[in-house]
Amino acid sequence: MNRKSTKSVLETAHRLRCIGCDDRIAGQDAAEDFRCRSCGSLFEVEYPQLFSPESAGRKAFHFGVHGIKKCWLDRRASNLSLDRSGVWRFRELLPFLENEKNIVTLEEGNTPLYRLPRCAEKLGLENLRAKHQGMNPTGSFKDTGMTAALSVAHERGFEWVACASTGNTSAAMAAYAARAGMRALVLIPEGKVAWGKLAQSLDYGAITCQLKTDFDGCVSVLTELVRRAPVYLLNSVNPYRLEGQKTPAMEVVEAMDWQVPDHVIVPGGNLANGSALAKGFRELLALGLIDRLPHISVIQAEGANPLFLSLTRYGGKKIEPVRAETRATAIRIGNPASWQKALHVLQETGGWCEQVSEQEIAVAKAEIGAEGIGCEPASAATLAGLKKLIAQGKIRRGESVVLVLTGNTLKDPEYTIDLHRGTLLTAEENTAMPPALQKELASLARAPQVMEPSVEVVMRLLDKAVRV
Ligand code: F0G
């Protein structure tokens, strides 16, 4: 282990603030599990020189408001990896490394902000878009966070990195570790990780342990392990992950000509991503680059809904872990580490937390697929949640909405095939489905058809399809 000496909090461009007791520590003084030694809460990264009122942070921005927007945009046309990365082209807002040479990047980010015209029309919305984070190098939003936090591990001289994962974090971590020549240890729940994700972890050379437990059980083992062995924890309790994951906020407003969407909707699992995006928007607001925050809402699967229950039962005052069960395996999490961060975001931005059923996720996934972009089941929860928020009158026709699609459709082909073959849901789930939803699912399903290799047979099928 080659850890560098600890700098004083004042010397560093960044420090960590405990969200529980407001304590400030230097980045290198964080505990191995990234919990506050005084109160056990999580940290967030702070940049006193950029954002404190007395330092009038804007001064640090030599470019000025228009200059910085142009600089960020111009970097997309550069041939340097750092500039081409949709995370590091915003590096003025990421001053937590000592040396840019330590950055490990796969040129992540710069993902598309697609319009969803057919979904919008069905819902009576004028402006519905999807920020497709599944278009990142390893196919999920985790890449934006991984380039940030793994670069810290690299800079601090760690050889090993580790995470507990429902599959996407491990895929991203394995890839970035391989790029850096570091070693990766992955803990995943046996049998509950989509094949695409498991395959990635193996492909990128990680040591992959399928533990006979769920995600929450994997987290328990890992938390103890990082205390005993010199491995760097890369779960989203690591606050540097969220620094990378805040950058899609910059991309969204940039792609909307610096207008802020009225609503941003994310799927909720371990509940870190909403707060990462909120931090991005908050920093843009503090710098005067935007004039308000969007409402940020979090959608959970009914079978993995601890935040939803915390709000409906206890007004958000406490959370009770649940035994999580959902086919959207990415968000199959019963004891989310970052629930207080998520709660704060809902309160700060006036967003909501909703839960959606397996049937609603399935229909939404097919609808996003039918737009020609696809996504993984957890991501589709955002569209299912949007429908609920519209039905409750919380989101209105004229308002702009951005759904954050967190993972690529190719991550979990088994789910998609089962959905279209009609074998995804149980008989009970099918019966319990409202008739309108049943009809919708049936109209979207496109089961593959096995047939003789004859032009006539295929023509007959085509004819039938034209008449429908
Ligand atoms: N969507 C996808 C595709 C995910 O992989 C995850 C989390 C989430 C949403 C939820 O994000 O945890 O910030 O609320 N996946 C983690 C993993 C837990 O291990 O890949 P969150």
Side-chain angles (χ1 to χ4, degrees):
M1 289 295 312
N2 161 30
R3 292 209 213 171
K4 293 180 185 151
S5 65
T6 305
K7 280 190 161 193
S8 96
V9 175
L10 290 174
E11 280 167 21
T12 53
H14 86 282
R15 62 190 179 190
L16 303 182
R17 183 186 75 84
C18 171
I19 62 157
C21 65
D22 220 31
D23 195 15
R24 264 87 172 172
I25 61 168
Q28 279 156 323
D29 292 345
E32 292 80 2
D33 63 358
F34 291 102
R35 296 268 171 191
C36 174
R37 288 192 177 88
S38 313
C39 76
S41 298
L42 298 178
F43 287 95
E44 74 173 12
V45 178
E46 241 185 19
Y47 306 108
Q49 290 156 27
L50 262 184
F51 294 109
S52 77
E54 61 280 9
S55 72
R58 282 144 249 205
K59 259 199 306 191
F61 262 32
H62 313 295
F63 306 85
V65 166
H66 296 293
I68 196 70
K69 288 180 186 172
K70 186 170 177 329
C71 166
W72 287 341
L73 193 61
D74 286 352
R75 283 180 182 151
R76 291 193 69 163
S78 152
N79 283 332
L80 296 175
S81 259
L82 274 204
D83 288 348
R84 295 179 73 89
S85 159
V87 171
W88 298 106
R89 73 186 174 96
F90 302 106
R91 54 189 174 267
E92 285 73 16
L93 299 184
L94 302 163
F96 55 81
L97 291 170
E98 310 238 334
N99 192 334
E100 282 181 2
K101 288 203 175 81
N102 292 318
I103 291 176
V104 184
T105 176
L106 284 164
E107 300 188 14
E108 52 291 313
N110 294 329
T111 55
L113 183 67
Y114 293 123
R115 284 193 181 272
L116 297 178
R118 283 172 283 276
C119 293
E121 197 186 333
K122 258 194 197 169
L123 296 175
L125 286 179
E126 286 159 13
N127 191 346
L128 174 61
R129 305 186 205 209
K131 176 67 176 162
H132 207 327
Q133 293 298 94
M135 299 299 182
N136 268 295
T138 78
S140 89
F141 73 107
K142 306 288 183 179
D143 292 342
T144 56
M146 206 48 76
T147 184
L150 191 129
S151 297
V152 173
H154 189 45
E155 181 166 273
R156 297 196 186 157
F158 281 88
E159 184 187 352
W160 280 90
V161 288
C163 70
S165 180
T166 56
N168 279 326
T169 299
S170 47
M173 185 187 78
Y176 282 81
R179 294 300 294 170
M182 294 167 74
R183 309 213 53 198
L185 175 73
V186 161
L187 305 187
I188 48 174
E190 193 210 4
K192 296 292 178 188
V193 166
W195 282 116
K197 304 175 189 179
L198 174 61
Q200 285 179 293
S201 176
L202 306 180
D203 202 20
Y204 305 138
I207 306 284
T208 304
C209 307
Q210 295 182 282
L211 303 192
K212 295 178 179 171
T213 177
D214 54 11
F215 170 81
D216 303 295
C218 291
V219 170
S220 303
V221 173
L222 186 61
T223 307
E224 186 53 35
L225 187 120
V226 295
R227 291 191 192 117
R228 296 202 208 167
V231 292
Y232 188 77
L233 179 68
L234 281 173
N235 274 72
S236 55
V237 291
N238 181 322
Y240 300 105
R241 279 266 313 273
L242 307 194
E243 289 307 290
Q245 285 175 218
K246 78 186 179 188
T247 57
M250 287 95 200
E251 288 185 1
V252 165
V253 290
E254 182 188 65
M256 293 176 72
D257 297 325
W258 295 91
Q259 298 301 305
V260 181
D262 294 304
H263 300 273
V264 173
I265 305 183
V266 297
N270 218 13
L271 296 176
N273 198 34
S275 67
L277 294 170
K279 189 168 191 285
F281 287 113
R282 200 185 299 127
E283 290 180 0
L284 292 177
L285 183 65
L287 293 167
L289 294 169
I290 57 173
D291 58 5
R292 64 190 167 93
L293 299 178
H295 302 283
I296 299 180
S297 295
V298 176
I299 311 299
Q300 297 203 293
E302 267 178 16
N305 60 352
L307 181 66
F308 178 81
L309 292 182
S310 160
L311 284 160
T312 48
R313 288 187 184 159
Y314 309 115
K317 293 205 168 45
K318 64 169 184 168
I319 198 157
E320 278 173 353
V322 303
R323 180 173 283 278
E325 201 45 82
T326 170
R327 293 179 184 84
T329 51
I331 51 174
R332 191 172 174 274
I333 294 173
N335 190 14
S338 297
W339 72 276
Q340 279 160 318
K341 286 191 177 179
L343 191 69
H344 177 73
V345 169
L346 299 183
Q347 287 160 349
E348 178 189 20
T349 71
W352 298 277
C353 179
E354 255 305 334
Q355 60 170 356
V356 291
S357 69
E358 295 294 296
Q359 295 94 323
E360 288 164 340
I361 293 174
V363 170
K365 172 154 160 60
E367 288 173 318
I368 293 168
E371 293 272 12
I373 62 176
C375 65
E376 66 167 282
S379 312
T382 56
L383 177 61
L386 169 63
K387 292 179 194 174
K388 289 204 155 164
L389 295 175
I390 291 174
Q392 294 161 4
K394 290 170 177 157
I395 295 184
R396 290 185 298 274
R397 183 179 175 79
E399 295 181 317
S400 53
V401 180
V402 172
L403 306 179
V404 181
L405 301 185
T406 42
N408 195 291
T409 186
L410 295 176
K411 289 274 189 175
D412 195 353
E414 238 183 320
Y415 180 103
T416 312
I417 290 170
D418 283 344
L419 189 160
H420 287 279
R421 279 196 174 138
T423 53
L424 183 74
L425 302 169
T426 61
E428 296 79 57
E429 284 173 321
N430 276 318
T431 322
M433 224 188 320
L437 211 57
Q438 261 179 37
K439 222 172 121 195
E440 209 159 349
L441 193 55
S443 77
L444 288 160
R446 296 281 180 276
Q449 306 181 46
V450 180
M451 60 194 67
E452 294 305 319
S454 134
V455 178
E456 282 69 35
V457 177
V458 179
M459 288 286 284
R460 268 204 297 282
L461 195 75
L462 187 64
D463 202 37
K464 208 168 113 198
V466 169
R467 277 187 268 112
V468 173

